[in-house]
C-alpha cells in the first residue's frame, strides 16, 4: 500500500506500490498542530463535505484498484458516492 497528500486539484501521486488489489481511502488533510507553550485556542476543524465519510475508512470504502505492472492511473468521482 501507500499514501500521498491530495493537491489542490484533488490528485495524489503514489510511487513504488506493489502489484495487487487495494481498497482506497481518501482523507482530509490533518489539522495544523499548535506549538507547545502557545497560549491560543485550538483551531476549529475544517469541514470537508466533498469527501464522503464512507471513503475515509478502509472498512467502508467502496473504492478499489487493481495495480498492474507499469504506470497506473485511477480516477474516482466522489460525487457518485452516498
Amino acid at each position: 500500500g501507500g499514501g500521498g497528500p491530495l493537491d489542490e486539484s484533488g490528485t495524489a501521486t503514489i510511487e513504488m506500490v506493489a502489484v495487487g488489489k487495494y481498497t482506497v481511502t481518501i482523507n482530509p488533510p490533518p489539522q495544523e498542530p499548535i506549538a507547545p507553550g502557545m497560549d491560543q485556542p485550538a483551531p476549529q476543524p475544517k469541514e470537508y463535505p466533498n469527501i464522503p465519510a464512507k471513503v475515509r475508512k478502509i472498512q467502508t470504502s467502496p473504492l478499489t484498484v487493481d495495480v498492474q505492472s507499469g504506470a497506473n492511473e485511477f480516477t474516482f468521482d466522489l460525487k457518485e458516492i452516498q
Side-chain angles (χ1 to χ4, degrees), residues 3-72:
L6 295 175
D7 66 17
E8 296 82 26
S9 69
T11 301
T13 300
I14 305 169
E15 297 180 5
M16 307 282 295
V17 178
V19 170
K21 294 183 181 189
Y22 296 91
T23 298
V24 176
T25 59
I26 300 173
N27 293 287
Q31 188 172 332
E32 291 292 323
I34 298 174
M38 299 295 292
D39 188 23
Q40 58 186 359
Q44 294 296 317
K46 184 176 176 186
E47 296 292 325
Y48 291 88
N50 56 332
I51 304 176
K54 182 183 278 189
V55 302
R56 298 180 189 199
K57 295 183 180 180
I58 199 165
Q59 298 89 343
T60 58
S61 179
L63 306 176
T64 60
V65 296
D66 188 1
V67 176
Q68 301 295 315
S69 182
N72 291 256

